[in-house]
Amino acid sequence: MNDVPPSQDEPDDVDDRYRRASALDPSRPSESVRRAVLSYAAQQAAQRAAKRVPTKLAADRRAANRAWWPPAIFGTLAAAALAGLLLTPVFLSPRAPRMTASPLARPSPPNAAAPPLSAAPAIDRSRDVSAETSSADTLSAPAARTTAAGAAPAAGAPRSETAAKPRALAGNATPQTINNFSPSNEVRLAGAAATEAPAAQAAAPRPRAAFIPRAAPMLQAGRPVDPAAALRRAAESGDVPGLQTLLDDAVDIEARDSSGRTALMLATLRGQTQAVDALLAHGADPNAADAQGTTPLQVALAGDQRAIAAALRRAGAR
Amino acid sequence: MTDEGKSDEALMGRYARGDVAAFESLYRRHEMRIWRYLERNVGNRATADELMQEVWFAVARDASRYAPSARFTTWLFTIAHNRMIDSIRTSRPQMSLETLGYEAPSVVEPLTSDPNSGPLAAAVARDQAKALIQAIEQLSAEQREAFLLQVEGDLSVEEIAAITHSSFETTKSRLRYARTKLREQLKEYA
């Protein structure tokens, strides 16, 4: 390169000459350009005023967050309180009667010959074990007690005629009804199991195992791990390997955060070109607007992310 | 209330909050500087028009992104520089700043038809304008841009270096070379 500075600086009058000559230059941008620019500026201002659009930019994002945090916090607290109400009985009491109070959880009573069992309300059982044993008068007392204690029935429990009826009930219990376990049929199942020593040990933990899947979704809901949130975080941070893993696990690619932003939108906001490419390759919707109607393409253009804008356009962004 | 005394940064802040008149003031204030920077760099009026529109669209669109800690003119000319480079590299890959030539001498013809200029004044203006065009044309692309950024944008060497992704010393050298060449070309019109 020949950018070697001259040996000395001469008096600097060139700028003045240039400016004098430029002042005589009548060359102007087209009037159509001026009109287009001013019209566009007015349009942008109107959009900002109407939609509070300036979301992508730091100061405005803070404003947007201020608008969103109250419902987000209250929603989270409400969800936590609800989860606590639902889950506390599970941990405090092995019977967890409320978990099985729904109609779906109740075993259908196909056998009308067992009215004393089906008539016993589950909630009463949870409150009073002695009532349970007295109302379930067709059960042998040892079997009922061991069930109420949540322990496996003792091996070698005496066979009796009274145990035959509960066994018939257990025979009627389909896998579905076992899965829809409730304390009311727990007593019956345990009573039936008590008639047979080898089966007793297998049957005793089964109701407990049947409890867990019903509580599991709530437990999962209370856990901080959310695959969709992890996907958004990976997209936002440009963690392409992590993103790829989550995408391969079929995590919902269009899941949105509290501001309605998809993983693609977050990757665009952060200028994560590779993450954008990976998301688009997995079929992310390039036109998925956030809660304020801003599209990823608008964000890319506003941020002068030309590579991302080009990728979005190739994917059909408008 | 006039915007004459308002700083660029204050006007941008007002526009970001929805004051369209503030944008118009900014546009009027910087329209010709950006126009000359673009038109004299690309040497093509139509392209300069196109770039001019893109630059100001970006200003309008990104108004709320503008950080008042940076000078508005620095931000504005950075946008102009980036748009110009993008235009040359992507839309017209066969062209380069180095090979771009000046087309119709848009400066000269309107001067000669100016009814307010007498024949002598018109002739002098025409000669000066022609000399100016020729002098700028003979600069290298890098020297031309550095010079135009300084005289049109009032940017410092540091700012020009940052915009053009060059070192301070290289930028300083380009400016010195540009002025030396222009001085020689415009000597007879002093």
Side-chain angles (χ1 to χ4, degrees), chain A residues 3 6 11 37 41-42 67 71 103 125 136 145-146 159 168 186 256 282 305:
Chain A
D3 283 332
V37 166
R125 258 179 250 275
R145 274 195 297 273
T146 53
R159 290 171 184 267
E186 178 186 11
R256 294 161 186 269
H282 279 76
Q305 302 285 351

Side-chain angles (χ1 to χ4, degrees), chain A residues 3-4 9 11-12 15 17-18 22 24-25 27-28 30 34 41 48 54 57 60 302-304 306, chain B residues 15 23 31-32 35 40 45 49 60-62 64-65 83 86 111 148 152 173 176-177 179 183 186:
Chain A
D3 283 332
V4 178
D9 288 328
D12 192 7
D15 293 7
R17 290 192 210 174
Y18 170 86
S22 289
L24 297 172
D25 182 0
S27 179
R28 294 283 186 278
S30 302
R34 184 195 303 251
R48 274 193 289 270
L57 314 170
D60 302 318
D304 206 19
R306 299 174 77 84
Chain B
Y15 173 62
F23 182 89
E31 177 185 27
M32 288 310 301
W35 166 254
R40 289 173 184 172
R45 188 186 177 93
D49 262 349
R61 193 170 49 236
D62 298 348
S64 48
R65 188 185 184 192
R83 286 284 184 272
D86 284 346
L111 276 177
L148 289 171
E152 296 293 355
S173 297
R176 283 182 184 175
Y177 252 103
R179 288 200 169 85
R183 189 173 294 113
L186 300 175

